[in-house]
Amino acid sequence: MSTMPPAIPQPETTGRYLVLLNDEAIDSGIQTLSDRAGVHDFAHTADFSDSAPSPEVLVSEQPLVFDELGVAVVDLDPNQLQSVNMAVASTTSLMTVEPERVVYALSDGGMQPDKREALEEGVTLNISVGYLKGYRDAINNLVDHLIPAADLAAGEAAEVAQISDPGFTWGLLRTRTNTSSRSGLGIRVAVLDTGFDLKHPDFLGRMMISKSFIEGETAQDGNGHGTHCIGTACGPQNPSVLPRYGVAYNAEIYAGKVLSDAGSGADGGILAGINWAIANECAVISMSLGAPTAPGQSYSKVYEQVAQRALQRGSLIIAAAGNDSNRSFGQIAPVSHPANCPSIMAVAAIDNRLRVAPFSNGGINSEGGQVDIAAPGVDVYSAWPMPTRYNTISGTSMATPHVSGIAALYAEATGARGQVLWSQLIRNSRRLWLRSRDVGVGLVQAIQ
Amino acid sequence: MAKVKITVSIAENHLNQILDVTQDLRSAGMEVEHVMDGIGVVTGAADADQISAIAQVPGVSSVEREQSFQLPSPDSPIQ
């Protein structure tokens, strides 16, 4: 025996329609509405003072054009609607048509009028919206306390199965890099790390500039970390051995060695690397490095000023949130230096099943210490110095170059740099059923 | 007294006089190693008790002690 699921409320509509006009040909769109559907006598918001039509016009049946938005609001009977739908399909002057919806201010409790009426009739108590909100909050609070936080966080994630494909690493699949039409062509990506294996066979013939900021060491990677990170950010489209593991396969690689072969470095060398990358007009500066911070610790004012200047000059700095957490034991460490600067994008690590990596740091500290975005950082396969050639490791260091490579894809496609590029990464990320403390806005997604 | 490594950021309104500010930093006791005009930063070293005087130099925005970084060993599964 089955019961009917509760009906999902359908949006109320007004009977009018919104027609999205091609904003490069608004007049021609209006002409099309007139020719095909017989809609005439448009009012234009541009004719009203402050472009704000009077309330009478908004509720009247007169067709109205919002000139600044490129949208027309019109009454359409079923025949006219069909004509407009055909015009949308067959012309370039009309983009879409959809029913106008009834929208209520949330301060009214977000309830439809009939429901509110029914409530007032059926329940003789004088229930205010404020009372209902208080009741709701109390219940939510109670539920939050009764259900362990881990279960809440698991939620959707528990349902997510692993994905795999012999042609691509799981990180490229989860970020939709495998289907992106972009390659980072013409974009310079600086990776400040332990250098690079300049003789790696997967990178022969690639545009590559390298420089060492470590005294007594060349840019040749004697560690492996830098080669792995560059592999993820900029690895080839068609490596001789599958799977593909690199994002921006046509980007120009700027390998700055700011960490020694033993994996150590200091602010002076890292700042020199940033200075070098900006001078070379690198749109993206990838830094899979960090020093732990204490709870309550503020960010570096020097790095923040540097990061702001970098953004102004068209260079986006992306850094690892750090690996100091031990979430299996409930320990979440704050975002590392310098990823904790407000103007540096802090990257957390997630796994193939879209769960926060147990080591990934969280937004514990205020003042910019939040996680901004998440990327694949568990069991990440990428390049490694020869003769090993490939290695699979985990860390926010591995998540960071996923974001950096994807930033290069956006930079190529849209021409965006600095703060605008930052916004595009954030706006297009995939929201997750996880806390923003742990994953920021969610999982970075490649432009298609 | 042992020297400490420091990073100095130059204020926005002194960026085009970074060499003059650097000269004043030397006069205040800083051993300057690098002047990075692209990002407006001067790095070097100073006695710990000179740092407050260095922070007072006109055109200086912030003075911080250099932090160091250390990756885990390359054979560590978490990087």
Side-chain angles (χ1 to χ4, degrees):
Chain A
M1 173 123 178
S2 65
T3 52
M4 289 287 288
I8 297 168
Q10 296 298 309
E12 268 184 275
T13 55
T14 63
R16 307 181 92 195
Y17 289 86
L18 304 180
V19 182
L20 181 62
L21 310 171
N22 183 337
D23 59 7
E24 287 172 5
I26 288 182
D27 289 340
S28 125
I30 292 167
Q31 193 61 47
T32 304
L33 282 172
S34 173
D35 295 347
R36 302 285 190 98
V39 181
H40 306 293
D41 302 326
F42 286 87
H44 286 263
T45 55
D47 296 338
F48 295 87
S49 65
D50 297 335
S51 295
S54 61
E56 294 77 31
V57 171
L58 284 175
V59 297
S60 79
E61 293 183 357
Q62 184 180 14
L64 176 64
V65 178
F66 289 85
D67 300 89
E68 300 76 12
L69 307 177
V71 172
V73 183
V74 294
D75 270 329
L76 298 174
D77 65 29
N79 285 335
Q80 287 176 305
L81 176 59
Q82 192 178 9
S83 303
V84 173
N85 269 320
M86 286 171 64
V88 166
S90 62
T91 74
T92 56
S93 60
L94 305 185
M95 311 302 286
T96 61
V97 56
E98 60 183 55
E100 185 183 41
R101 294 173 187 81
V102 178
V103 179
Y104 298 98
L106 286 176
S107 56
D108 283 345
M111 282 189 286
Q112 296 170 5
D114 55 341
K115 296 232 177 101
R116 195 183 319 146
E117 221 166 77
L119 187 69
E120 282 164 2
E121 283 171 7
V123 184
T124 50
L125 288 169
N126 187 12
I127 299 175
S128 73
V129 169
Y131 175 85
L132 288 172
K133 282 182 174 171
Y135 183 73
R136 178 196 62 194
D137 291 347
I139 290 290
N140 287 346
N141 196 27
L142 181 64
V143 171
D144 282 355
H145 276 89
L146 290 178
I147 302 176
D151 288 358
L152 267 182
E156 182 189 69
E159 307 300 321
V160 176
Q162 288 207 25
I163 58 171
S164 66
D165 181 308
F168 303 93
T169 58
W170 76 263
L172 298 194
L173 297 170
R174 283 290 188 205
T175 57
R176 302 180 69 218
T177 300
N178 57 316
T179 54
S180 175
S181 60
R182 300 296 175 162
S183 61
L185 185 66
I187 304 301
R188 294 176 175 177
V189 175
V191 179
L192 305 182
D193 211 287
T194 60
F196 187 65
D197 180 8
L198 302 164
K199 299 180 292 286
H200 198 286
D202 285 7
F203 291 80
L204 294 178
R206 276 294 289 278
M207 172 70 191
M208 166 114 51
I209 306 286
S210 62
K211 186 171 176 64
S212 176
F213 298 90
I214 299 294
E215 206 175 340
E217 294 187 13
T218 68
Q220 176 63 32
D221 184 6
N223 179 286
H225 193 270
T227 299
H228 201 275
C229 292
I230 289 175
T232 298
C234 304
Q237 181 181 25
N238 295 305
S240 49
V241 181
L242 288 176
R244 176 183 159 192
Y245 55 87
V247 177
Y249 55 83
N250 274 325
E252 297 174 20
I253 301 166
Y254 280 70
K257 182 165 188 163
V258 300
L259 301 174
S260 70
D261 290 340
S264 63
D267 284 331
I270 292 160
L271 290 166
I274 295 173
N275 193 59
W276 168 74
I278 293 174
N280 282 287
E281 298 176 349
C282 293
V284 183
I285 301 176
S286 191
M287 304 203 306
S288 290
L289 52 85
T293 58
Q297 183 180 331
S298 187
Y299 56 84
S300 158
K301 304 294 180 287
V302 172
Y303 273 80
E304 173 57 17
Q305 202 155 36
V306 165
Q308 288 178 12
R309 287 170 182 161
L311 287 174
Q312 282 161 15
R313 296 188 57 172
S315 297
L316 170 61
I317 304 178
I318 299 167
N323 308 325
D324 312 299
S325 298
N326 195 344
R327 290 169 180 269
S328 325
F329 293 92
Q331 295 164 3
I332 302 177
V335 172
S336 295
H337 161 77
N340 63 341
C341 289
S343 300
I344 295 180
M345 184 174 284
V347 184
I350 59 167
D351 70 10
N352 191 332
R353 295 177 60 191
L354 305 184
R355 299 173 298 194
V356 185
F359 50 75
S360 190
N361 289 352
I364 305 300
N365 288 338
S366 56
E367 281 206 316
Q370 74 269 28
V371 168
D372 293 300
I373 202 165
V378 176
D379 296 336
V380 176
Y381 168 95
S382 182
W384 199 258
M386 297 299 286
T388 306
R389 190 160 185 169
Y390 301 112
N391 194 7
T392 300
I393 46 179
S394 304
T396 53
S397 282
M398 284 64 244
T400 301
H402 279 99
V403 179
S404 301
I406 289 170
L409 305 183
Y410 282 97
E412 175 201 358
T414 68
R417 298 289 186 276
Q419 188 62 49
V420 181
L421 184 56
W422 175 305
S423 301
Q424 289 181 354
L425 289 166
I426 296 297
R427 183 170 356 117
N428 292 297
S429 70
R430 173 181 168 186
R431 273 56 179 172
L432 300 172
W433 193 258
L434 296 170
R435 294 174 190 272
S436 62
R437 176 195 67 192
D438 298 327
V439 296
V441 292
L443 173 58
V444 67
Q445 298 286 285
I447 191 167
Q448 296 300 296
Chain B
M1 176 171 272
K3 299 272 184 191
V4 292
K5 302 268 257 178
I6 57 172
T7 59
V8 178
S9 67
I10 306 302
E12 208 67 32
N13 58 4
H14 280 73
L15 280 180
N16 53 6
Q17 303 145 49
I18 190 167
L19 294 179
D20 294 339
V21 179
T22 302
Q23 199 51 53
D24 293 344
L25 288 170
R26 287 199 178 93
S27 304
M30 179 173 175
E31 290 175 6
V32 172
E33 286 171 14
H34 295 290
V35 180
M36 307 169 195
D37 55 355
I39 54 174
V41 169
V42 179
T43 58
D47 288 338
D49 62 0
Q50 289 173 315
I51 290 179
S52 57
I54 288 168
Q56 299 300 316
V57 170
V60 167
S61 177
S62 310
V63 179
E64 292 173 1
R65 287 194 187 208
E66 184 178 69
Q67 291 205 50
S68 57
F69 298 79
Q70 179 61 55
L71 294 176
S73 149
D75 56 8
S76 165
I78 298 174
Q79 293 281 329

